Amino acid sequence: KHIKALGYEECKIKDKIAVKQKEGMVCYELERRIKDIMPISEIRAMLRDIYAKLGIDKAAKATDLRNLYGYDIKEDKMRMEDGSRKNIYKIKKVK
């Protein structure tokens, strides 16, 4: 079905396989690095690092966790030691 949609062209099929492999590697890296509670800026920095390491040309957004990689995220705020408040996500793996 997918191969037919790609027009049976070898280069398109190989590109699709490479994309899927990179998605799998991103998921593996996330499993290693992610914590239950993380500041949004830290999530973006982590994704930016993973994308750069794997050669993925994509803007890193914290919502990628929910939209692309199957995490349930809930936005919240956390008081820091200096008295400021920082936006955080509470993260759970769903898929």
Side-chain angles (χ1 to χ4, degrees):
K1 176 178 165 181
H2 294 285
I3 295 174
K4 185 177 180 180
L6 295 172
Y8 299 102
E9 293 182 37
E10 183 180 355
C11 63
K12 288 182 181 178
I13 294 168
K14 286 181 178 180
D15 288 344
K16 186 71 169 179
I17 290 170
V19 167
K20 287 294 184 184
Q21 286 176 332
K22 284 186 179 183
E23 286 175 6
M25 288 187 276
V26 170
C27 290
Y28 172 75
E29 286 293 323
L30 286 173
E31 289 290 326
R32 288 185 39 224
R33 298 183 188 191
I34 207 146
K35 304 173 205 152
D36 293 338
I37 298 174
M38 292 180 73
I40 295 171
S41 58
E42 190 177 319
I43 293 170
R44 269 189 246 132
M46 177 184 61
L47 283 171
R48 206 174 10 251
D49 179 52
I50 292 170
Y51 291 165
K53 178 179 174 184
L54 297 175
I56 298 171
D57 186 28
K58 179 176 175 6
K61 297 177 281 198
T63 55
D64 286 351
L65 292 179
R66 174 183 44 231
N67 299 337
L68 301 176
Y69 305 114
Y71 286 88
D72 183 34
I73 57 177
K74 182 180 175 192
E75 195 167 344
D76 205 352
K77 295 205 180 270
M78 175 185 269
R79 185 165 302 281
M80 305 309 283
E81 292 176 7
D82 63 0
S84 64
R85 294 172 59 90
K86 199 168 203 174
N87 292 333
I88 63 162
Y89 276 142
K90 294 180 179 178
I91 305 167
K92 281 193 304 187
K93 180 71 172 166
V94 176
K95 292 181 186 176

